[in-house]
Structures are given as C-alpha cells and as structure tokens.
C-alpha cells in the first residue's frame, strides 16, 4: 500500500521547507520530496551564498579605500578567488545541513527522488535523474525513496531555473548562469552581463569590485527596471563612477564564441550596432518556473504564462493541490515563498483569520554597491493609477551618520496618498538600505500615516534618520535639508 500523509511538499526550497515545518508544528503528518539538494536554490546557489561573495566584495572595497579612513595597509590587496569561492560554498553547505537538521527536529520525512502527480492526492516518486551542479552534501540518512505516496494535501514548491534566450544559451564555460558565476576558477579580466535585474546587477557589482572590467546590457530604459526611476538613476551614477559600463535600451543580438572569449553584437537604441568582446558573459535575463515533468497535465492544473495559477491561499483549481513560491508566479522572492508557505499551511489546517498575501507589501532588495531596497508603489505606478500623491526625498549627503561612515551617496524616497496620508511606497538606495526597508514594511502593514511616522523618534546618529526626514520632506517639513 502507498504510504499516506496529511501533507506532501514537492521541493525543499524556502517555500517548501517552511511549509513542511509549519505543517508539522500544527500536528500534521508531513513529507518533503527532494530530487537534488535540501534548501533549494536560495540557500545553495542564490540568496545566501551570493551574499557571502558580496561580503567579500564589501571587505575588498573597504580595504582598497583604507586611506580614506586614515589607515595605511601594507602590500597589494588582491582577491584570492579560491578562498572567496570556498567560503561561499562552505556557507551553502552549512545552510543545506541546517535544513536537514530542522526536518529531523520537526519529524518531517524526506523522500529522495523525482515526484510526479499521478492523480489527485497521489504522487509517484522515481529515482532522480537530476545531476547537481555541485554535490552540496550527502543525502540525509533514513530517507525514503521510490514508490507511491498519498496525501490529503499536496503542495508544489518546485521553484525556478535560469531562463535562456535562443541562440545565447549558457554553456557553463564562456556563457554563464548564476551557477557558474558563483564559482569561477579564476577572475576574468572582462565580463559582459546581459540583464540588470537583481541577479545581473549583483554579479556585476561583485566582479567590478574585484577589478574586472564589467559591461551591463539592459533592454529597458533604466537599470533595475522594477525600481523607482529616481533610485535607479542614482544607482546607475554610482555604478558608472565605479567604472562599470552600462548600455540601456540595448539588446544582445548575437554572440560568437572564441577559444576563451565571447564577442557580442549589441543593437543600440539608435539602430546602430556595437561589438563587445569579453572573457566571459553572464546571462541574467530572468528565470522560468519548474512546471515540466511533474504531472500537472495529468490532473488538469491550470497554468498561465509558465506559472501555476493559485488563489490568495495557494490553492490551484484542483482540490487538495496547492502551489507556492517561484512556481506560482512573481514576485520571485524567497521571503514571498516563505510567507505563502505559512498562509497555505495555516489555511489547510483550518486556522482562523488567515489573510491572503498582499503583494504590494512585499519588499524587494538588491545587494549591490550601493544597495537598493523598495516596497509598494513607485512614483510612476502611483501616478498611472491616478493616485493624488505627496513625494518626499532625503539624500544621505545630509545625514551625519552616513557622512561619518564615508557612505554619503544615497537617497530615501517616500510616497503618500495625499487624501489619507497612507504610506503607499518607499524606495531607497545607499549603504545598508536592505536592513532599513523593513521599517517601512512594518509601517505599511500597520497602515501607518505620515503623522505617526513624524512623531516616531529615530535614534541619532543613524542612517535610519533619513527615513523620517523623507517623510517630513513629503510635507515640506524636512529639518536637515
């Protein structure tokens, strides 16, 4: 007989492992199916190990600017590529092991293999054919394997993978995805980055700080196209000041591979073309959901533009079947997947007062130098919706802590509904803004007005004071600018 569970989760990334743990906490019998490595792309190849690389870049940047802080460092400062990569991969292994520990602690069964829906409430698990880019860790002991399993509720959390453009497919040697970009054997002298979203611009920032000649090609009219135009413009200025070359409204039309380089033909906005030769190229043109081969067609799951269609609680059109995280559509963020996981499981368990996710209150962070963070509507989107708004701006150059840190290039921008005083958007660029943005996220969730923010005391001296000053500026009351 098939082994039965209350909940089976397919995939152990940020959405999958959080769903499994929360379900176990609520007294449900749970299993997770994984075909490659525990903790998913985020912990093994995305969010966490990339931040380890960027931390090395931060230290490199500070060390090479030591004299700005009255310090003298002897000798030449240069990156040790193997040590940087080894540190990052070691952190990935630690995260992988951590999820395995959490499953054991919470009595979550691990089924190792590839899951396929055979009918509603049933999956068939076969031996995995997926070869990891790199073995992250051993398969945990006491795992289950091939066979048929049933569950009252099945949650699909299979994530996403890098998207490839026809004719410019990554080959792992000359044209990289984020997999290869995270573990170079040596630093290239030059790098072409196709796409300036979070993945592309983070790698561009890392490699440029390490001394690589970097060119970014973006088809849209601004870097980081989803961000507010003012924030994007200031970030671009800083990138270019660091020596990064950025081509906007440009398209990589063709790539010719050499023995140890690529030559790309770039179509520019004026119709002209330009050839760029670089040692390596990163394809960062987005990701696509892993919806193939898991039996969606067999049970009639509805999809749209490559993503599984769900309601606000993760339910698909098939009773007892749910989807969360990247496979369920944008924004493709780990923290969105985790929150969807909790909502989905709590709804399954019948908890009262479970609220659907509000995507306008999901923060986005890019860990480049300078950092970028945002939540809510941009100024352009607010105006497009016909909102009557007040906009506040406050620069880091007028903040004492930022000046003391030598990090005075930044901006905080806030957007309020003029009629109600509701905060509907907040956007930041500068040092540590990925840590600051949560203050505005909390404010938006509490439906905080401008008056309440104005009466909040911010500690001095901190960069966080720029947040309050931006609110004051929206109402013509800024005190330090």
């Amino acid at each position: 007989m098939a082994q039965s569970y209350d909940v089976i989760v397919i995939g152990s990334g940020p959405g999958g492992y959080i769903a499994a743990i929360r379900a176990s906490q609520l007294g449900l019998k749970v299993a997770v199916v994984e075909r490659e490595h525990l903790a998913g792309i985020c912990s093994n190849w995305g969010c966490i190990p990339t931040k380890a690389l960027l931390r090395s870049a931060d230290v490199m940047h500070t060390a090479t600017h030591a004299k700005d802080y009255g310090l003298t460092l002897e000798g030449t400062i240069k990156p040790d590529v193997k040590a940087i990569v080894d540190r990052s991969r070691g952190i990935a292994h630690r995260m992988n092991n951590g999820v395995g520990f959490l499953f054991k602690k919470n009595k979550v069964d691990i089924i190792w293999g590839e899951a396929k829906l055979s009918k509603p409430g049933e999956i068939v698990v076969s031996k995995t054919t997926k070869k990891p880019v790199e073995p992250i860790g051993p398969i945990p002991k006491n795992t289950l394997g091939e066979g048929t399993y049933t569950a009252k509720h099945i949650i699909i959390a299979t994530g996403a993978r890098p998207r490839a453009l026809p004719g410019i497919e990554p080959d792992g040697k000359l044209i990289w995805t984020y997999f290869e970009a995270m573990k170079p054997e040596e630093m290239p002298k030059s790098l072409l980055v196709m796409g300036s979203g979070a993945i592309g611009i983070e790698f561009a920032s890392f490699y440029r700080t390490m001394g690589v000649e970097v060119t970014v090609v973006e088809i849209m009219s601004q870097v980081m196209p989803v961000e507010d135009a003012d924030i994007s413009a200031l970030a671009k200025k800083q990138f270019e000041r660091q020596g990064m070359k950025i081509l906007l409204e440009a398209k990589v039309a063709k790539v010719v591979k050499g023995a140890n380089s690529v030559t790309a033909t770039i179509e520019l906005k004026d119709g002209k073309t330009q050839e760029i030769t670089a040692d390596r190229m990163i394809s960062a043109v987005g990701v696509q959901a892993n919806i193939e081969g898991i039996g969606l067609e067999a049970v009639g799951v509805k999809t749209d533009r490559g993503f599984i269609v769900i309601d606000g609680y993760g339910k698909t059109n098939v009773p007892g079947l749910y989807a969360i995280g990247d496979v369920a559509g944008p924004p493709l963020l780990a923290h969105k997947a985790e929150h969807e996981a909790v909502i989905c499981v709590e709804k399954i368990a019948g908890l009262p007062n479970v609220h659907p996710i509000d995507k306008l209150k999901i923060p986005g962070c890019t860990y480049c130098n300078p950092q970028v963070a945002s939540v809510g509507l941009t100024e352009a989107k607010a105006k497009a919706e016909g909102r009557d708004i007040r906009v506040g701006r406050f620069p880091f150059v007028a903040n004492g802590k930022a000046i003391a840190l030598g990090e005075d290039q930044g901006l905080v921008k806030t957007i309020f509904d003029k009629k109600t005083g509701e905060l509907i958007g907040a956007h930041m660029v500068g040092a540590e803004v990925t840590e600051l943005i949560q203050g505005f996220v909390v404010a938006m969730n509490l439906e905080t007005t401008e008056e309440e923010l104005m009466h909040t005391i911010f500690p001095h001296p901190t960069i966080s004071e720029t947040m309050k000053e931006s609110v004051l500026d929206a109402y013509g009351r800024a005190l330090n600018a």
Side-chain angles (χ1 to χ4, degrees):
M1 288 182 62
Q3 190 158 339
S4 183
Y5 292 88
D6 295 315
V7 176
I8 290 177
V9 184
I10 304 175
S12 70
Y17 89 77
I18 291 295
I21 290 170
R22 185 65 183 126
S24 179
Q25 288 175 344
L26 293 171
L28 301 173
K29 185 181 179 183
V30 190
V32 170
V33 186
E34 178 53 59
R35 67 176 184 175
E36 189 172 2
H37 43 234
L38 298 180
I41 291 296
C42 176
S43 292
N44 292 293
W45 293 101
C47 321
I48 306 302
T50 55
K51 303 312 161 284
L53 294 180
L54 288 161
R55 176 59 174 165
S56 294
D58 287 342
V59 174
M60 178 79 172
H61 175 79
T62 301
T64 54
H65 291 81
K67 67 179 182 179
D68 295 342
Y69 300 91
L71 303 174
T72 300
L73 296 181
E74 300 293 337
T76 302
I77 301 165
K78 59 182 180 180
D80 182 336
V81 178
K82 184 178 184 306
I84 291 170
V85 171
D86 284 351
R87 178 176 180 271
S88 173
R89 301 317 304 148
I91 289 168
H93 283 248
R94 183 174 172 181
M95 298 300 296
N96 179 278
N97 291 336
V99 170
F101 167 77
L102 289 173
F103 282 163
K104 183 177 180 180
K105 175 185 175 183
N106 289 278
K107 297 179 174 57
V108 173
D109 285 350
I110 302 172
I111 305 170
W112 208 262
E114 298 196 16
K116 188 171 185 177
L117 296 161
S118 49
K119 61 183 180 181
E122 182 181 274
I123 62 169
V124 175
V125 177
S126 58
K127 186 175 181 180
T128 181
T129 59
K130 180 72 174 177
K131 293 183 178 181
V133 177
E134 168 194 301
I136 301 297
I139 296 174
K141 295 179 181 179
N142 302 319
T143 58
L144 303 171
E146 300 171 66
T148 300
Y149 300 85
T150 63
K152 299 173 186 175
H153 309 278
I154 296 174
I155 302 173
I156 300 171
T158 49
R161 63 187 185 278
R163 182 182 299 279
L165 297 182
I168 317 177
E169 293 87 357
D171 60 7
K173 180 186 175 184
L174 298 175
I175 303 177
W176 292 345
T177 65
Y178 53 74
F179 291 110
E180 296 79 26
M182 286 199 61
K183 44 180 297 204
E185 294 181 1
E186 59 183 9
M187 281 291 168
K189 289 185 173 61
S190 55
L191 177 70
L192 176 65
V193 180
M194 180 172 63
S196 74
I199 294 173
I201 213 67
E202 284 185 2
F203 279 117
S205 187
F206 168 74
Y207 279 99
R208 180 60 203 136
T209 303
M210 293 298 169
V212 178
E213 294 180 10
V214 175
T215 301
V216 178
V217 178
E218 171 56 56
I219 198 168
M220 303 299 286
S221 60
Q222 66 178 55
V223 292
M224 296 177 286
V226 301
E227 301 296 342
D228 185 271
D230 287 344
I231 302 301
S232 174
L234 197 153
K236 177 176 179 287
K237 183 179 178 181
Q238 289 302 104
F239 297 151
E240 291 176 330
R241 185 175 290 177
Q242 296 162 12
M244 200 182 295
K245 298 175 183 176
I246 298 175
L247 301 176
L248 299 178
E249 297 181 82
K251 175 185 177 184
V252 178
K254 184 176 70 171
V255 175
V256 177
K257 298 177 184 178
N260 199 30
S261 65
V262 296
T263 299
T265 301
I266 313 298
E267 293 181 356
L268 305 174
K269 61 181 178 180
D270 59 6
K272 297 179 181 179
T273 60
Q274 175 182 343
E275 284 195 349
I276 296 176
T277 298
D279 291 346
R280 297 293 182 269
M281 174 177 171
I282 295 177
S283 176
V285 291
V287 298
Q288 62 188 86
N290 294 320
I291 62 172
E292 305 88 354
I294 55 176
L296 299 183
E297 301 83 3
V299 295
V301 177
K302 185 178 179 181
T303 63
D304 180 39
R305 290 175 287 185
F307 297 101
I308 296 174
V309 177
I310 61 170
D311 68 4
Y313 302 98
K315 294 181 182 178
T316 71
N317 61 304
V318 177
L321 191 61
Y322 312 79
I324 58 174
D326 289 358
V327 77
L332 309 184
L333 300 167
H335 44 281
K336 173 255 194 183
E338 292 178 349
H339 196 71
E340 280 184 325
V342 172
I343 289 172
C344 180
V345 169
E346 290 185 350
K347 193 70 172 177
I348 286 172
L351 266 62
N353 303 316
V354 179
H355 301 288
I357 196 166
D358 183 349
K359 292 186 178 181
L360 273 179
K361 294 174 183 174
I362 301 174
C365 297
T366 307
Y367 300 82
C368 44
N369 181 19
Q371 294 181 1
V372 173
S374 60
V375 64
L377 297 174
T378 64
E379 182 178 359
K381 286 183 178 178
K383 288 178 177 177
E385 290 185 4
R387 305 285 287 263
D388 194 9
I389 59 174
R390 287 182 179 271
V391 178
R393 298 175 180 84
F394 194 81
F396 277 32
V397 74
N399 174 262
K401 179 67 179 292
I403 294 170
L405 291 175
E407 300 283 2
D408 64 355
Q409 295 302 302
L411 176 70
V412 175
K413 180 175 180 178
T414 46
I415 302 167
F416 292 87
D417 185 286
K418 189 178 287 187
K419 294 179 181 178
T420 65
E422 178 190 4
L423 177 65
I424 59 174
H427 309 273
M428 304 172 162
V429 56
E432 299 305 324
V433 297
T434 58
E435 299 290 343
L436 297 180
I437 191 65
Q438 193 60 22
F440 282 134
V441 177
V442 171
M444 289 178 66
N445 273 276
L446 295 176
E447 299 181 354
T448 304
T449 66
E450 90 291 349
E451 184 176 351
E452 291 163 326
L453 286 168
M454 288 178 186
H455 284 91
T456 299
I457 299 173
F458 285 70
H460 174 79
T462 63
I463 296 177
S464 70
E465 291 174 281
T466 60
M467 299 166 67
K468 181 174 181 177
E469 289 279 6
S470 178
V471 175
L472 290 169
D473 182 66
Y475 289 82
R477 293 174 52 183
L479 298 170
N480 286 285

